[in-house]
Amino acid sequence: MLESDLYVSKCRKVLYFFENEKMIVVINYIAMSKLICNLFICFNSLTIKNSNDRIHSMLCIEEDKKMHNFDPKEHIGLMIKFLNGKISNKINKNLAEFNLTGVQHEIICFIDRNESQRDVFQKDIEKCLKLTNPTVTGIVKRLEEKEMIARVPSEQDARYKCLHVTEKGKEVICKSFKFGANNIEKQLSKGMTDEEVKMFKDLLYRALKNMEE
């Protein structure tokens, strides 16, 4: 029989008292739950040598109580993270109709926005969107296979090939933006007044700038 099972058969209730920097354990020898038994085994090896140990132990108990009362709604960062997850899922679901994922759509839009001003290379996508080289390489390859982007010689140096959005890609960008972005914006601001929407945008922008410091 395990030692813990022996305690289960004998112990029902454990009370702890802290007095004169010593732990007094009062044990009532009747059947008790396995949870209390395990707590007894853990605390049985604990020796409080000084007042600092006692304070630390009590702080740990207080922190444990706080964790039980933890509410994600009280934390801005967690709420934004959850919101980002919901938006990403919604975007991917909407873009599935166009045979695209959220990251693929972000990259094709990045190329489309910038190619009229300068040559866009894969390293530009990696730097601006903060994506790794293998990730961008795979996505660019898939977008080429879908005929949404193409590699063309750079006007500045024909030895290098830059990325260009095809007509098919531009058509997909236009349709997906109207279908997805507009719907998500409406859903995000549902039930908000114009003033609340403006305030919400201002606060999000300020939070974003704070994290860039």
Side-chain angles (χ1 to χ4, degrees):
M1 183 180 291
L2 296 174
E3 184 179 358
S4 60
D5 292 330
L6 288 172
Y7 277 110
V8 169
S9 63
K10 293 180 180 180
C11 305
R12 183 179 180 222
K13 193 174 185 181
V14 177
L15 302 175
Y16 293 92
F17 298 90
F18 293 89
E19 183 178 345
N20 297 326
E21 300 182 1
K22 294 181 180 179
M23 178 183 290
I24 301 174
V25 182
V26 180
I27 307 172
N28 204 0
Y29 288 95
I30 309 173
M32 66 174 286
S33 70
K34 192 166 256 184
L35 175 63
I36 298 299
C37 166
N38 289 335
L39 283 173
F40 172 75
I41 293 171
C42 291
F43 276 96
N44 196 37
S45 62
L46 176 66
T47 303
I48 295 179
K49 297 179 180 179
N50 53 52
S51 59
N52 287 335
D53 286 342
R54 178 165 60 184
I55 292 171
H56 177 71
S57 299
M58 297 185 74
L59 285 174
C60 288
I61 293 171
E62 286 301 314
E63 285 299 316
D64 186 57
K65 289 179 181 178
K66 289 179 182 178
M67 287 302 296
H68 283 295
N69 297 325
F70 180 76
D71 185 358
K73 290 185 291 185
E74 298 295 324
H75 299 267
I76 296 173
L78 277 178
M79 291 298 289
I80 291 176
K81 183 179 180 180
F82 294 155
L83 182 60
N84 179 63
K86 294 287 185 182
I87 292 173
S88 296
N89 290 339
K90 183 71 70 174
I91 288 174
N92 285 325
K93 185 177 179 180
N94 289 338
L95 291 175
E97 180 176 331
F98 304 97
N99 194 26
L100 284 173
T101 65
V103 180
Q104 289 173 353
H105 185 262
E106 188 175 10
I107 286 178
I108 197 174
C109 287
F110 175 83
I111 299 170
D112 186 57
R113 280 195 309 270
N114 292 280
E115 68 172 326
S116 61
Q117 304 167 21
R118 59 185 173 85
D119 290 339
V120 178
F121 299 97
Q122 182 173 318
K123 63 181 181 181
D124 298 320
I125 297 172
E126 295 167 11
K127 181 180 179 180
C128 294
L129 301 184
K130 295 180 173 54
L131 297 171
T132 63
N133 177 272
T135 298
V136 176
T137 299
I139 293 173
V140 166
K141 182 180 179 180
R142 284 189 287 275
L143 288 173
E144 284 185 282
E145 291 170 352
K146 295 174 183 180
E147 300 180 346
M148 294 185 187
I149 66 171
R151 294 181 187 269
V152 297
S154 169
E155 292 182 0
Q156 315 237 335
D157 191 335
R159 293 176 301 172
Y160 299 98
K161 289 191 174 181
C162 55
L163 300 172
H164 167 72
V165 179
T166 63
E167 287 302 316
K168 180 180 178 180
K170 290 180 183 294
E171 184 180 348
V172 168
I173 289 173
C174 183
K175 288 182 178 178
S176 63
F177 181 78
K178 289 179 180 178
F179 179 77
N182 292 342
N183 288 347
I184 290 173
E185 284 289 310
K186 287 179 182 177
Q187 191 167 359
L188 275 172
S189 58
K190 184 179 179 181
M192 297 184 189
T193 65
D194 291 343
E195 185 179 350
E196 287 173 332
V197 171
K198 184 180 182 304
M199 184 183 297
F200 184 48
K201 290 178 179 178
D202 289 342
L203 292 173
L204 285 176
Y205 180 76
R206 283 165 59 185
L208 181 62
K209 297 303 289 184
N210 287 342
M211 295 306 295
E212 291 176 354
E213 292 178 356

